[in-house]
Amino acid sequence: MPSQFQSRSEIVKTGKMLHQRGYIAACDGNLSIRLNKNQVLVTPTGMSKGGMKSSDLVIVDMSGRKLKGRRDVTSEIGMHLLIYRMRPDVNGIVHAHPRTATGFAAAGMALDQPLACEVVIGLGQIPLAPYGTPGTPELARTLEPLVPQYDAILMANHGVVTYGVDLQSAYMKMETVEHFAQIALVTHILGRQQLLDDAELDKLIAARHKYLGVNSAAAMPVHSSNGDRNGSCQSQSSKSKTRSLRDRAILRQSEIVSPFEN
Ligand SMILES: [Zn+2]
């Protein structure tokens, strides 16, 4: 575990990167690090995450009660605590509103097509959680069913949340999500999507175990043999196929080791 001092600088640095990359505007977004099993260091509400000082951060306990800090804690603390409670392997969380990925979320579209091999290996698919009012328990409830299985989630009409073993890993996943959203958008503009097929997905599942270890239970992307040229819903037959693909991916991973055991 990094020291509290290191964690504070890490959050300040990552907030600047989110702002410089245009992933957040005004006072958007929030970041946190799990300091220990009872304490979380988190960004305050009502200030730009691109211009924070270490002393602006707040420490809360696992029920969200403020233990230290001059400022008020982010209104999205419930989402952070939910993820820490459900994922003992997670020590860093980033929430932001990157333009392209949030555009997909506002269009009601998950990033769940196997278009780019690196994303398939790293994140599997990026699902879309239903809309929940920000700053309310409703938001955390919409994420709850997805948190155990995914490391990056689109939040409908809102933004993106990513999390990982540390804050840097969570931030990298945010970059990957936005980069992939831009690639997916280009395929929609071109009007053509050449999806990876079942055999290739099988090889990528194997590569995920080999290169990344088994620290993600993310389902593999949805594969539609007809392609999905307009981003609309899948056909029934491709939905069944998707289920079998997901089942196979999850089964493979559970055969090796539970993601929460390391
Ligand atoms: Zn937000």
Side-chain angles (χ1 to χ4, degrees):
M1 279 275 178
S3 70
Q4 190 188 127
F5 177 79
Q6 288 169 321
S7 298
R8 284 178 184 270
S9 352
E10 190 70 16
I11 289 183
V12 168
K13 183 183 83 180
T14 309
K16 278 198 181 82
M17 287 160 72
L18 288 173
H19 192 254
Q20 281 163 1
R21 279 195 154 261
Y23 290 1
I24 46 176
C27 299
D28 293 352
N30 32 76
L31 305 94
S32 70
I33 289 179
R34 193 202 303 261
L35 292 174
N36 55 51
K37 73 179 183 6
N38 299 315
Q39 296 184 335
V40 172
L41 181 68
V42 62
T43 49
T45 190
M47 75 176 296
S48 167
K49 308 312 173 295
M52 296 181 297
K53 297 192 298 289
S54 295
S55 56
D56 290 320
L57 305 181
V58 181
I59 297 177
V60 297
D61 66 15
M62 293 308 285
S63 64
R65 193 165 55 95
K66 186 162 88 171
L67 301 175
K68 199 170 178 186
R70 288 177 290 114
R71 293 181 175 270
D72 290 332
V73 69
T74 171
S75 56
E76 299 299 5
I77 186 63
M79 169 176 74
H80 290 250
L81 295 175
L82 170 89
I83 294 169
Y84 288 128
R85 277 198 293 268
M86 296 187 82
R87 292 284 300 266
D89 58 313
V90 165
N91 295 307
I93 299 174
V94 174
H95 165 58
H97 307 159
R99 295 179 185 93
T100 320
T102 303
F104 273 83
M109 295 165 68
L111 289 164
D112 58 2
Q113 301 287 301
L115 289 164
C117 54
E118 302 284 351
V119 178
V120 173
I121 293 175
L123 287 176
Q125 58 171 278
I126 303 137
L128 174 69
Y131 180 73
T133 309
T136 69
E138 186 190 20
L139 180 74
R141 274 200 300 275
T142 64
L143 297 172
E144 197 168 351
L146 299 169
V147 168
Q149 207 174 321
Y150 300 95
D151 290 346
I153 302 172
L154 300 186
M155 301 150 76
N157 303 93
H158 183 168
V160 184
V161 62
T162 56
Y163 34 95
V165 66
D166 54 26
L167 190 67
Q168 191 187 20
S169 150
Y171 172 79
M172 294 289 189
K173 287 171 190 174
M174 186 63 73
E175 276 199 355
T176 300
V177 170
E178 177 60 4
H179 192 244
F180 180 51
Q182 290 170 9
I183 292 167
L185 177 63
V186 170
T187 66
H188 286 288
I189 291 168
L190 294 172
R192 207 176 134 73
Q193 292 188 311
Q194 184 169 276
L195 304 177
L196 292 160
D197 63 23
D198 290 9
E200 294 304 330
L201 286 177
D202 273 345
K203 287 187 218 167
L204 292 174
I205 294 172
R208 180 190 285 181
H209 297 315
K210 185 174 171 189
Y211 297 117
L212 296 185
V214 186
N215 55 12
S216 169
M220 295 303 275
V222 174
H223 173 248
S224 161
S225 52
N226 299 321
D228 181 11
R229 296 187 176 197
N230 57 13
S232 59
C233 296
Q234 300 166 266
S235 68
Q236 272 313 114
S237 62
S238 74
K239 273 187 182 163
S240 323
K241 195 168 185 179
T242 295
R243 267 197 296 278
S244 70
L245 262 176
R246 280 190 196 179
D247 293 347
R248 193 173 54 197
I250 293 163
L251 181 64
R252 282 262 178 116
Q253 293 180 347
S254 62
E255 276 168 358
I256 300 176
V257 67
S258 154
F260 307 122
E261 286 172 1
N262 53 16

